[in-house]
Amino acid sequence: MGAGGQRRGTQSWWVALSFSVMLCCVERVSAQIKYTIQEEVKIESVVGNVAKDLGLDISSLVERQFRIVSGTEDGQFKVNPNNGVLYVHKNIDREELCENISPCIKNLKMVAENPMEIHYVGIEIIDVNDNSPNFQEEEHIIEISESTLPGRRFQLPTARDPDVVINTVRAYKINQNEYFSVQIRERGEDKIPFLVLQKSLDREKHQELRLTLTAVDGGNPPRSGTLNVTVIVLDSNDNHPTFSQEVYSVTIPENVEADTSVITVTATDLDEGANGEIEYFFGGQLDRKIYDLFSLNKETGEIRVKGEIDFEKADVYKLDVQATDKGQPPMSADCRVIIKVLDKNDNKPEIEVTSLSNTVSENSKPGTVVSLISITDQDAGLNGKVICSLSENVPFDLKPSFQDNMYSLVLKQHLDRESVPHYDITITATDCGQPPLSTFKTLSIDVSDVNDNMPEFQQNPIELYLVENNVPGNTIFSVSASDKDLNENAALTYHIVRDESSQMKNAAFLNINSDNGHITALKSFDFETLKTFQFQVVATDSGAPSLSSNVTVNVFILDQNDNAPVILYPLSSNGSAEGVEEIPRNVNAGHLVTKVRAYDADIGYNGWLLFSLQELTDHSLFGLDRYTGQIRTLRSFTETDEAEHKLVILVKDNGNVSLSATATVIVKLVEPKEAFAASDVKSAAKVDDEDNVTFYLMITLGSVSVLFLISIIVLIAMQCSKSTDYTSKYLQETNYDGTLCHSIQYRSGDKRYMLVGPRMSIGSTIVPGSHANTLVLPDRRRTSEEV
């Protein structure tokens, strides 16, 4: 090594020239690029432009995180993500990387993401003659009897050269002398030097000879190493041991138990006595590890296992055994023992996962690559052949690569995060040994959300019952929708649909909180002018693109007792209702004096009017029907009865807080003749009054009828667009029996409700919590349908 280091400077021009030539050798084999480079090149020397040779877009390498993921334990090579150039990062010593393996090829696995690509780059490291042959000892002593005949061979130590092929030891030389020459014999791939006696020794002339053995490698220029050989001439022990075989070969399984016999070598010596007694020894040139693995019985020549035999560390061992007699000087012979190791299935497969991401979008297409799986098994043959599988019932599949034991984990069907948000995938790798060994690895993959679900309202349509005279600005209702998606895809905002249609125009007086769906009325609604309307609320998520759905809200205005009774007769003047009635004295009991007429714009109990006498001069003369407002005589008049009577009638509704009005009727008693005379005049005036009353009554009834008719048409249209089991109807009725009274029927679900006036049907029931103005009626229509 020292001599080689001195000559390295002078050879730099040759190395540079060879390197520049070999860098041009790039080939593509089965989608794999192969480069050739010499060892010991300068750091940052360019190996090749991988991106260019692979046809990758150089401008996207950084974004795609183009990198080396495996293949260089110490990072001898690096790739520049800016230009795709593969260069030398650390000093490359082929002897350190590959020892005696030839050719020396290092495989790199390179990955680019988005989309996922994996490439394999092979780099063959060419040996440079940078090591000189070296002997393990500085001096070797050989004792040779003077009786040794010419032609006798003596094995010399071999030189070791870490270089390979032509750069390893190719020849041995010895300095010029008259007694010895060097002969090289090949044993397998090794060249063994032998010292051959050319002329008989004469101890009396030369007791000791000093020779120099030179080992020369095949490099250009060649390197060499020397060994001092000292030959001591002894008196004769003229027969040397002889082995039965020059090369012994045996096969043992790995993991064989210690102290197991491997083989017994046998040598014979024709001499007698001590010169024929043989002892066995390991050759001095063996690797020191051999002594930890095997033992040799020096008496019998039996070789036994001493340490742990592992096929994965070495599949063959070469031992040199020397047989030496006990003569003076001793004579020896040597042989080669080759021990081959059979592989056993003692290594489980190893799973390496190069995961791109542990999250997969639920809208990923089948065939999307999720991870790269690399399976390795240190065993050989069938013991190293691995079968890989996935756990059942997962929407993923393993696709084998062109390279053995390489797989891609790909999506095989569409995902739905709302159904399964997470997958634990178990990868099982089983070799083909007997018995087979298996390894398990679990991958956790989360399914990321995409906006693929519209907001959903729990109920559609929604019915809202709102009491009239609500406070403007207060919340009247709240709508809420749900979304199966996550995060911003499930963040909902609300808004009311605004348009000019007759059904939606009242939505202009509504406002909605876009965050929570609380609906606020900007005005107070009046049942007497608006009984029902509808509007639509749209819920929109925050996904991209956003999804939305709407719900129809049917609003029914509920009546409050906010209208006082209005006296229609007697006619009001100066803020009070007062009338004068003249009747003859000779009328009988039960005579109709007059009828007080009143109207209340409210409905149900709120519009149900009752009449009562507040003031009366004589309680025995007149009676008042509390429902019709008719005033009749209770008895006949006498001469002692006064001629004028004042009746104050109170008219009140039946609301929770009753509202009322009063009317005053003056009854004058006249003689029959005067009554007949005044009857003509009064009848004319009365006709005018009745005409006015009739005119107002017709206007009122016409307005109410038109409103009711419009309500019925709207509700019929709503009924046609909704199911039979979930409807709400207003069925209006108008009864005028001296008092304008209203009754409204509507349906909700399986119950039928009615807001009534003074006439309640038999069998009707007041609904609790309905403020005593709502009745539940038997649903005859539903009964008939069920029958």
Side-chain angles (χ1 to χ4, degrees):
M1 290 293 290
Q6 294 175 1
R7 289 192 297 270
R8 188 174 300 169
T10 61
Q11 298 171 359
S12 59
W13 63 272
W14 180 85
V15 173
L17 179 61
S18 301
F19 171 66
S20 61
V21 172
M22 284 184 284
L23 280 181
C24 299
C25 300
V26 179
E27 58 179 335
R28 183 183 298 268
V29 180
S30 300
Q32 175 170 323
I33 294 178
K34 181 178 178 183
Y35 297 97
T36 303
I37 188 173
Q38 289 185 341
E39 66 171 333
E40 303 295 345
V41 297
K42 293 181 179 180
I43 296 176
E44 297 186 357
S45 295
V46 175
V47 179
N49 193 316
V50 180
K52 180 178 179 181
D53 295 332
L54 292 174
L56 300 178
D57 185 3
I58 296 177
S59 61
S60 65
L61 295 181
V62 175
E63 180 181 351
R64 297 183 65 187
Q65 301 181 25
F66 185 64
R67 65 193 184 279
I68 299 174
V69 295
S70 66
T72 55
E73 293 77 9
D74 296 326
Q76 282 86 4
F77 301 95
K78 291 286 186 178
V79 63
N80 189 332
N82 295 316
N83 54 21
V85 171
L86 182 67
Y87 64 94
V88 177
H89 181 62
K90 292 184 178 180
N91 182 55
I92 300 175
D93 187 352
R94 191 208 63 80
E95 288 73 31
E96 180 180 351
L97 293 176
C98 300
E99 295 185 0
N100 294 325
I101 298 175
S102 180
C104 178
I105 297 176
K106 286 297 178 181
N107 291 314
L108 305 181
K109 182 167 66 176
M110 311 186 79
V111 170
E113 299 181 1
N114 301 320
M116 157 71 62
E117 290 185 28
I118 182 169
H119 300 280
Y120 299 91
V121 176
I123 302 178
E124 181 178 358
I125 300 174
I126 303 300
D127 182 50
V128 175
N129 191 23
D130 57 344
N131 293 281
S132 299
N134 182 41
F135 293 91
Q136 290 189 359
E137 55 190 29
E138 295 182 357
E139 185 176 12
H140 182 70
I141 300 175
I142 302 177
E143 294 179 343
I144 302 177
S145 174
E146 63 178 348
S147 61
T148 302
L149 297 176
R152 176 71 182 276
R153 296 180 298 117
F154 302 92
Q155 183 175 346
L156 295 174
T158 57
R160 294 189 175 273
D161 192 337
D163 296 325
V164 295
V165 194
I166 63 172
N167 294 327
T168 190
V169 176
R170 308 299 294 176
Y172 290 91
K173 301 178 182 178
I174 198 170
N175 61 311
Q176 187 68 31
N177 66 90
E178 61 179 318
Y179 293 101
F180 296 97
S181 65
V182 171
Q183 185 182 72
I184 299 174
R185 300 191 65 178
E186 293 185 359
R187 291 179 178 173
E189 298 175 358
D190 299 327
K191 297 181 182 300
I192 309 299
F194 287 86
L195 191 63
V196 181
L197 183 62
Q198 300 290 335
K199 179 181 177 181
S200 297
L201 297 173
D202 187 358
R203 183 176 177 277
E204 285 68 33
K205 293 176 67 174
H206 301 285
Q207 294 184 0
E208 185 178 280
L209 297 174
R210 294 188 177 274
L211 306 174
T212 300
L213 179 64
T214 302
V216 181
D217 63 21
N220 185 15
R223 292 173 175 265
S224 63
T226 59
L227 173 68
N228 294 322
V229 179
T230 300
V231 178
I232 299 175
V233 182
L234 302 177
D235 286 337
S236 61
N237 173 22
D238 53 355
N239 287 292
H240 55 81
T242 302
F243 282 98
S244 59
Q245 296 176 225
E246 188 169 357
V247 177
Y248 293 85
S249 180
V250 66
T251 300
I252 62 172
E254 71 170 323
N255 301 327
V256 66
E257 294 183 359
D259 203 38
T260 299
S261 177
V262 178
I263 194 173
T264 299
V265 296
T266 303
T268 58
D269 194 317
L270 298 177
D271 293 326
E272 293 182 356
N275 293 333
E277 294 180 7
I278 299 174
E279 290 182 335
Y280 300 91
F281 303 94
F282 281 130
Q285 302 300 312
L286 295 180
D287 191 336
R288 291 297 175 186
K289 296 179 181 178
I290 297 296
Y291 294 97
D292 297 328
L293 298 176
F294 300 98
S295 63
L296 175 62
N297 189 318
K298 70 176 183 178
E299 302 295 336
T300 63
E302 183 182 24
I303 299 175
R304 289 182 174 271
V305 175
K306 181 179 179 181
E308 180 183 0
I309 306 300
D310 188 356
F311 175 85
E312 286 69 44
K313 293 182 179 179
D315 59 351
V316 63
Y317 295 95
K318 299 178 181 179
L319 285 67
D320 288 326
V321 179
Q322 189 177 70
T324 304
D325 61 25
K326 297 181 180 179
Q328 291 298 326
M331 301 188 71
S332 63
D334 61 286
C335 70
R336 170 64 60 90
V337 178
I338 299 176
I339 302 175
K340 297 180 180 179
V341 181
L342 291 179
D343 181 44
K344 289 185 64 176
N345 192 26
D346 59 343
N347 290 279
K348 290 184 177 181
E350 296 180 0
I351 302 174
E352 178 190 358
V353 178
T354 304
S355 181
L356 301 181
S357 174
N358 60 353
T359 302
V360 180
S361 176
E362 66 175 318
N363 65 347
S364 298
K365 295 181 180 179
T368 300
V369 178
V370 178
S371 294
L372 300 176
I373 313 297
S374 177
I375 311 296
T376 57
D377 194 318
Q378 297 181 9
D379 295 320
L382 290 177
N383 296 331
K385 184 177 181 180
V386 180
I387 299 174
C388 198
S389 62
L390 285 181
S391 53
E392 296 181 353
N393 300 322
V394 293
F396 298 92
D397 198 5
L398 281 178
K399 296 293 185 183
S401 175
F402 70 90
Q403 189 171 0
D404 290 341
N405 295 335
M406 287 296 301
Y407 298 88
S408 297
L409 181 65
V410 299
L411 188 64
K412 70 178 181 179
Q413 65 188 51
H414 291 285
L415 302 176
D416 184 10
R417 187 206 62 81
E418 287 71 35
S419 299
V420 183
H422 177 82
Y423 291 94
D424 287 323
I425 303 172
T426 300
I427 302 174
T428 303
T430 304
D431 61 30
C432 298
Q434 291 298 327
L437 300 178
S438 298
T439 301
F440 305 92
K441 192 174 187 68
T442 300
L443 298 181
S444 294
I445 297 179
D446 294 320
V447 182
S448 62
D449 183 51
V450 296
N451 193 25
D452 58 345
N453 289 277
M454 292 191 302
E456 294 181 358
F457 289 93
Q458 188 175 6
Q459 179 181 342
N460 191 3
I462 298 174
E463 294 192 351
L464 168 62
Y465 296 91
L466 176 64
V467 178
E468 67 172 330
N469 301 322
N470 56 289
V471 179
N474 284 3
T475 299
I476 61 172
F477 190 58
S478 179
V479 296
S480 178
S482 61
D483 196 311
K484 296 179 181 180
D485 295 319
L486 290 178
N487 302 325
E488 66 275 1
N489 294 332
L492 303 182
T493 57
Y494 303 88
H495 72 275
I496 295 176
V497 176
R498 315 281 186 182
D499 59 36
E500 297 300 325
S501 64
S502 59
Q503 287 291 328
M504 300 293 183
K505 64 181 180 180
N506 289 288
F509 300 102
L510 300 176
N511 195 10
I512 188 169
N513 188 316
S514 61
D515 296 327
N516 54 31
H518 291 174
I519 300 175
T520 303
L522 302 180
K523 77 167 187 175
S524 179
F525 293 100
D526 184 10
F527 175 82
E528 285 69 41
T529 60
L530 179 66
K531 292 178 173 55
T532 179
F533 68 92
Q534 67 176 206
F535 62 93
Q536 288 186 336
V537 177
V538 178
T540 306
D541 59 33
S542 301
S546 61
L547 301 177
S548 63
S549 62
N550 56 14
V551 63
T552 300
V553 181
N554 295 318
V555 182
F556 299 96
I557 308 299
L558 299 180
D559 182 45
Q560 273 192 332
N561 191 26
D562 58 344
N563 291 279
V566 177
I567 304 298
L568 299 177
Y569 181 81
L571 297 176
S572 300
S573 62
N574 298 327
S576 63
E578 185 174 341
V580 178
E581 297 289 339
E582 294 181 352
I583 62 173
R585 277 183 174 272
N586 60 352
V587 297
N588 296 323
H591 177 74
L592 176 63
V593 178
T594 187
K595 183 176 183 178
V596 178
R597 296 177 177 88
Y599 164 75
D600 194 318
D602 296 321
I603 67 167
Y605 278 95
N606 296 329
W608 182 9
L609 302 182
L610 295 178
F611 301 83
S612 62
L613 287 171
Q614 288 290 98
E615 296 181 16
L616 181 64
T617 55
D618 189 346
H619 290 280
S620 64
L621 282 177
F622 301 100
L624 175 66
D625 189 304
R626 65 177 302 185
Y627 296 111
T628 64
Q630 293 179 350
I631 300 174
R632 295 181 181 272
T633 59
L634 297 178
R635 61 178 175 81
S636 300
F637 294 103
T638 63
E639 294 295 331
T640 60
D641 292 329
E642 296 181 0
E644 183 175 310
H645 296 273
K646 180 181 179 181
L647 287 73
V648 179
I649 295 92
L650 176 67
V651 182
K652 67 175 183 178
D653 58 30
N654 277 272
N656 286 338
V657 178
S658 296
L659 301 178
S660 62
T662 59
T664 302
V665 176
I666 305 298
V667 181
K668 294 182 179 181
L669 303 179
V670 297
E671 294 301 326
K673 292 181 179 180
E674 295 177 0
F676 292 146
S679 63
D680 294 335
V681 177
K682 189 172 182 180
S683 62
K686 198 166 187 178
V687 168
D688 293 337
D689 292 341
E690 289 180 353
D691 289 341
N692 292 334
V693 172
T694 302
F695 176 72
Y696 293 131
L697 183 60
M698 290 176 63
I699 292 176
T700 303
L701 289 176
S703 300
V704 172
S705 299
V706 170
L707 289 175
F708 285 177
L709 183 60
I710 293 174
S711 300
I712 289 173
I713 293 173
V714 171
L715 291 175
I716 289 175
M718 292 172 59
Q719 176 67 17
C720 293
S721 63
K722 296 191 295 183
S723 64
T724 305
D725 293 335
Y726 192 79
T727 60
S728 292
K729 296 181 179 179
Y730 278 98
L731 303 176
Q732 301 181 348
E733 296 178 357
T734 304
N735 295 322
Y736 176 71
D737 187 9
T739 303
L740 294 179
C741 301
H742 308 278
S743 66
I744 294 182
Q745 300 179 19
Y746 66 91
R747 176 180 303 280
S748 178
D750 295 334
K751 292 186 178 182
R752 188 180 177 206
Y753 299 89
M754 185 173 82
L755 305 178
V756 300
R759 305 298 184 191
M760 292 189 294
S761 63
I762 298 174
S764 62
T765 306
I766 297 177
V767 178
S770 63
H771 305 296
N773 63 351
T774 304
L775 301 180
V776 178
L777 299 180
D779 192 349
R780 295 183 180 87
R781 179 183 59 79
R782 188 168 187 80
T783 303
S784 63
E785 288 177 357
E786 292 175 356
V787 173

